């Protein structure tokens, strides 16, 4: 199923997606019903279903829009780097500016935990987002002429995901994680 681009939505459709994003991220996908989304977006359930067809499709649109913004944010961070080695660490720096106080971890990891069926359209979007990040790390490691860029990319992904997963703990693990990532990128024996 093709996921609708939010840039082509009506104002009511955009309000629905904005309300869904806030509610799904703050409360969880399975805990939020369409009644609550309709109420928070100021539309009727009928309008919600007319725009998206189902809650599953709305979840997919929410994650696709979040993914589009995240990828753009990361690409901006990569493009701002002065060297290829610095660019490998850009997703960590992007994470620092992406997440705010009260972050509940990664919306994509949360979605994968709540939607384990690989056939669910939102599950596929969340899984593809993680594969994209891993592939980006490999692309950046290759450009930085790092040895074994595939292995380095996997290790960097694990560190990045660990920093995301520990966000709700308020331990500032991102600082330590970024330092570990920097050491991995500098290590010629990876």
């Amino acid at each position: 199923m093709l996921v609708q681009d939010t840039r082509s939505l009506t104002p009511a459709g955009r309000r629905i997606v904005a309300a869904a994003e806030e509610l799904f991220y703050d409360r969880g996908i399975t805990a939020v019903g369409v009644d609550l989304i309709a109420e928070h977006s100021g539309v009727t359930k009928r309008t919600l279903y007319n725009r998206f067809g189902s809650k599953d499709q709305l979840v997919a649109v929410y994650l696709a829009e979040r993914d589009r913004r995240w990828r753009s944010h990361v690409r901006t961070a990569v493009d701002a780097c002065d060297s290829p080695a610095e660019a490998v660490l850009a997703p960590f720096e992007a994470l620092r500016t992406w997440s705010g106080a009260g972050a509940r971890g990664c919306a994509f990891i949360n979605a994968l935990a709540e939607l384990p069926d690989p056939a669910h359209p939102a599950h596929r979007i969340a899984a593809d987002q993680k594969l994209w990040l891993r592939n980006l790390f490999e692309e950046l490691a290759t450009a930085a002429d790092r040895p074994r860029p595939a292995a380095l990319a996997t290790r960097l992904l694990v560190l990045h995901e660990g920093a995301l997963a520990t966000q709700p703990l308020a331990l500032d693990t991102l600082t330590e994680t970024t330092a570990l990532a920097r050491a991995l990128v500098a290590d010629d024996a990876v």
Side-chain angles (χ1 to χ4, degrees):
M1 176 179 278
L2 186 61
V3 176
Q4 187 172 9
D5 185 339
T6 59
R7 294 169 288 190
S8 66
L9 289 175
T10 64
R14 286 191 294 277
R15 283 195 320 272
I16 293 166
V17 173
E21 178 167 6
E22 179 184 333
L23 292 166
F24 289 151
Y25 186 72
D26 289 348
R27 301 181 187 188
I29 293 167
T30 57
V32 173
V34 293
D35 289 326
L36 187 60
I37 297 167
E39 178 186 323
H40 276 252
S41 60
V43 303
T44 64
K45 276 187 3 180
R46 180 181 174 104
T47 299
L48 187 149
Y49 282 115
N50 284 341
R51 298 289 185 274
F52 299 99
S54 68
K55 179 183 172 183
D56 288 348
Q57 184 61 22
L58 178 56
V59 173
V61 170
Y62 142 64
L63 286 175
E65 174 59 16
R66 192 172 182 98
D67 182 37
R68 183 190 65 74
R69 289 193 325 267
W70 168 245
R71 289 181 194 211
S72 175
H73 187 71
V74 171
R75 282 290 179 196
T76 298
V78 168
D79 292 345
C81 292
D82 294 328
S83 72
E86 183 184 332
V88 181
L89 300 171
F92 292 92
E93 294 308 319
L95 183 56
R96 185 176 311 283
T97 58
W98 175 265
S99 301
R104 290 194 63 244
C106 177
F108 302 99
I109 292 294
N110 296 346
L112 288 169
E114 288 193 69
L115 307 169
D117 181 2
H120 192 289
H123 181 98
R124 289 191 302 268
I125 291 167
D128 286 349
Q129 191 277 332
K130 296 305 170 191
L131 293 173
W132 171 81
L133 185 57
R134 190 244 167 251
N135 291 339
L136 176 65
F137 277 128
E138 184 173 0
E139 171 189 315
L140 296 170
T142 300
D145 199 28
R146 300 312 319 145
R148 301 183 56 223
L152 177 58
T154 299
R155 291 173 182 172
L156 293 173
L157 178 67
V158 169
L159 286 173
H160 194 272
E161 297 308 300
L164 276 165
T166 56
Q167 274 182 323
L169 301 176
L171 297 174
D172 188 24
T173 58
L174 184 56
T175 299
E176 287 300 319
T177 303
T178 304
L180 284 170
R182 189 176 313 286
L184 278 175
V185 170
D187 186 0
D188 285 336
V190 174

